[in-house]
Amino acid sequence: MPEQHASPRPPRAVRILRTTAAAQTAVLLAQAVSAGLLLASVPLGRTAHGAMAGAVLSAVVLHLLAAVAAWRKGAVGGRTVLHGLPLLLFTFAQAALGFAHVRELHVPLGVLMFGASVMTLMRIRTQPPSPSPSPQNEGAAA
């Protein structure tokens, strides 16, 4: 019989969600670094910042898909998905503002996105997973 640990391992969907949240935060941090290179007129800055924009969109979409999958499996609440939607909208707004060269809004929105991603990561890492419905409880509810 296996030993019982004080904190059981979270479900796979929650582990994937935590991983995508960490990757999203790391990519947003790398995007901020590339923005600093761009603003400092480093020749590679513009190329790096443009390439990272695609990585940010990919990371945000991947995190949102992981949140939907975890919610569908009952591992997290629906609020997790709702908290991911604004970041996707901010990503599209960031792209539009960047292409339009509106730095006055582009830079603060980037800071807001990084802060929101850090908050999302901390919330997902600290919240306990939702109890998954057991087959016995489903039959009693019907």
Side-chain angles (χ1 to χ4, degrees), residues 29-50 52 103 107:
L29 178 62
Q31 179 69 329
V33 170
S34 70
L37 293 174
L38 174 64
L39 293 174
S41 299
V42 173
L44 191 60
R46 181 173 301 280
T47 305
H49 195 65
M52 287 303 300
R103 287 185 190 165
V107 172

Side-chain angles (χ1 to χ4, degrees), residues 18-108:
R18 288 176 178 175
T19 302
T20 59
Q24 172 183 278
T25 304
V27 168
L28 281 165
L29 178 62
Q31 179 69 329
V33 170
S34 70
L37 293 174
L38 174 64
L39 293 174
S41 299
V42 173
L44 191 60
R46 181 173 301 280
T47 305
H49 195 65
M52 287 303 300
V56 167
L57 179 60
S58 298
V60 169
V61 168
L62 188 62
H63 174 68
L64 192 55
L65 290 174
V68 169
W71 168 66
R72 296 277 311 224
K73 291 182 184 272
V76 295
R79 295 182 101 177
T80 304
V81 176
L82 293 177
H83 290 156
L85 286 174
L87 206 52
L88 181 62
L89 297 175
F90 290 159
T91 302
F92 289 127
Q94 271 293 83
L97 291 169
F99 282 123
H101 301 287
V102 184
R103 287 185 190 165
E104 298 81 16
L105 297 175
H106 183 76
V107 172

